[in-house]
Amino acid sequence: MKFSKTVLAAGTLASAAMLVAACGSGQVGQSGSGDKPGGNSANSKKLALVPGVQAEPFYISMQCGAEAEAKKLGYELTTQAPQKFDAAMQTSIVNAMGSNPPAALLIAPTDDQAMLAPIEQVKNRGAKIVEVDTSLKDKSVAVSSVSSDNAEGGKLAAQTMAKLVGDKPGSVLILDTIAGTSTTAARAKGFEDELKNHPNLKSAGIQFTQNEPEQAASKVTAALVSTPDLVGIFATNLNTGEGAATGLRNAGKIGKVNLVGFDASPSEVDGLKKGEYQALIAQDPAQIGTKGVDQAVAALEGKPTERNLTAQLHSITKDDLDANSQYFYKQSC
Ligand code: T6T
């Protein structure tokens, strides 16, 4: 698996403790007990990972990377994920850490504003905060944010779409998830911005789906009626892609309207093989988990941290599917 140059350099140096300049290193919490990580020395080797949602291949792959790295570095990592990609459910998990937080919290905030207060509370009790995948609007909370370059991913998706469509004029629908999800918002924007460089394609707008495949399917059904020149759909994540494929299937439009999806879950890869998707933009979640742990440990051990790290993305089509199998997400470690 590859990481972008900056990331590789940063990660390697951080784990080797060779960097000299700290860039946004963590601050000790206000109400934690002194400078002990997590406010409790018994927890000094404990890391907690709170993904966006449970039992989902993207976050499972991230967890696999994070667990392996934590073990390698002599830390214990526990994972607790909300049942749904939902800020209230994720808040309950974070709040339950109470006065006994881990030394570091690695979290994918499900809402870029609503998760601020609960995460800040954990930080104020002494834990270092590392954002993995999504992030808060407030950049002062985390010591580091590790994610794909999502704007770049949206751009790559639009370029892939333009190649697939060719010269044909037409409209392209963008399916986003939930307002306040930093990653998918950046993908949708990156896609729309790049579309302007392809004059035969115009945006049919961004639709929110609440990260529910059923909603994505019905948005596609409606768009096929309201937008007769629909030539493509950009699904900004796994659930939107799954729903879009259902909508196209129900209308007999598979392969007639190009579907470019984000992520590379087993079901999406299967869909690509079957011709339901024409392309996927795969992230590298395991690397996000690995580097997230590296950053958390660096912060705990007083070593330099990197404020922003980006992982590489890969555009995959049916033709180069086998050559890219290393980027497929896992269902278990
Ligand atoms: O696309 C990933 C993740 O990057 C995003 O923040 C939320 O959706 C996924 O988990 C896929 O479902």
Side-chain angles (χ1 to χ4, degrees):
M1 280 184 288
K2 285 185 189 156
F3 224 55
S4 69
K5 264 192 195 149
T6 19
V7 175
L8 252 187
T12 314
L13 291 174
S15 19
M18 285 166 68
L19 278 178
V20 280
C23 172
S25 329
Q27 296 145 20
V28 174
Q30 290 153 18
S31 57
S33 51
D35 56 4
K36 287 175 194 143
N40 176 353
S41 59
N43 287 353
S44 65
K45 291 280 177 183
K46 291 195 176 157
L47 310 177
L49 171 64
V50 180
V53 64
Q54 65 178 218
E56 202 242 54
F58 173 82
Y59 291 115
I60 292 171
S61 303
M62 178 193 288
Q63 184 182 341
C64 297
E67 275 172 0
E69 189 70 357
K71 197 170 167 197
K72 195 177 107 190
L73 300 178
Y75 282 75
E76 185 194 326
L77 180 126
T78 52
T79 302
Q80 217 187 337
Q83 261 179 336
K84 294 182 80 175
F85 196 95
D86 176 271
M89 287 184 188
Q90 198 179 41
T91 296
S92 305
I93 293 173
V94 174
N95 285 349
M97 291 173 182
S99 55
N100 190 27
L105 169 63
L106 289 89
I107 186 164
T110 45
D111 187 294
D112 60 10
Q113 296 188 77
M115 289 311 298
L116 173 64
I119 295 174
E120 255 189 336
Q121 199 174 37
V122 177
K123 175 178 172 164
N124 289 341
R125 288 175 172 155
K128 305 292 183 191
I129 309 296
V130 174
E131 292 166 331
V132 279
D133 182 44
T134 45
S135 55
L136 295 169
K137 268 206 161 80
D138 185 334
K139 300 296 168 205
S140 71
V141 181
V143 292
S144 180
S145 303
V146 189
S147 70
S148 302
D149 184 336
N150 289 291
E152 198 57 32
K155 181 178 174 181
L156 183 60
Q159 289 168 342
T160 304
M161 180 69 80
K163 253 191 220 154
L164 287 163
V165 174
D167 293 337
K168 196 175 165 186
S171 301
V172 184
L173 174 70
I174 301 162
L175 295 175
D176 199 347
T177 57
I178 308 172
T181 307
S182 63
T183 48
T184 55
R187 291 168 201 168
K189 182 168 187 313
F191 187 92
E192 266 205 326
D193 287 350
E194 175 60 20
L195 222 51
K196 293 176 191 138
N197 296 324
H198 305 275
N200 61 315
L201 298 177
K202 64 174 189 286
S203 173
I206 300 173
Q207 296 270 351
F208 288 97
T209 62
Q210 302 316 309
N211 203 28
E212 297 289 349
E214 297 73 23
Q215 289 206 28
S218 52
K219 301 278 178 187
V220 167
T221 306
L224 287 167
V225 175
S226 66
T227 317
D229 71 341
L230 196 72
V231 289
I233 299 169
F234 172 42
T236 58
N237 82 339
L238 203 157
N239 281 355
T240 49
E242 189 184 314
T246 305
L248 290 175
R249 198 177 313 111
N250 291 344
K253 292 281 185 185
I254 293 282
K256 293 182 182 131
V257 172
N258 291 286
L259 175 57
V260 175
F262 220 89
D263 295 305
S265 69
S267 67
E268 288 176 291
V269 170
D270 199 43
L272 185 60
K273 279 185 194 150
K274 289 200 272 199
E276 294 179 341
Y277 293 81
Q278 279 59 52
L280 294 175
I281 309 296
Q283 306 189 67
D284 199 341
Q287 278 290 354
I288 295 175
T290 305
K291 298 300 167 191
V293 166
D294 287 346
Q295 290 300 301
V297 170
L300 290 171
E301 297 183 354
K303 294 170 188 167
T305 50
E306 284 283 316
R307 186 59 193 81
N308 293 298
L309 292 176
T310 55
Q312 277 202 338
L313 292 159
H314 307 271
S315 171
I316 308 175
T317 63
K318 204 174 183 174
D319 296 341
D320 52 25
L321 202 128
D322 292 335
N324 284 300
S325 58
Q326 73 267 37
Y327 304 120
F328 300 168
Y329 302 176
K330 293 180 182 171
Q331 297 272 38
S332 64
C333 298

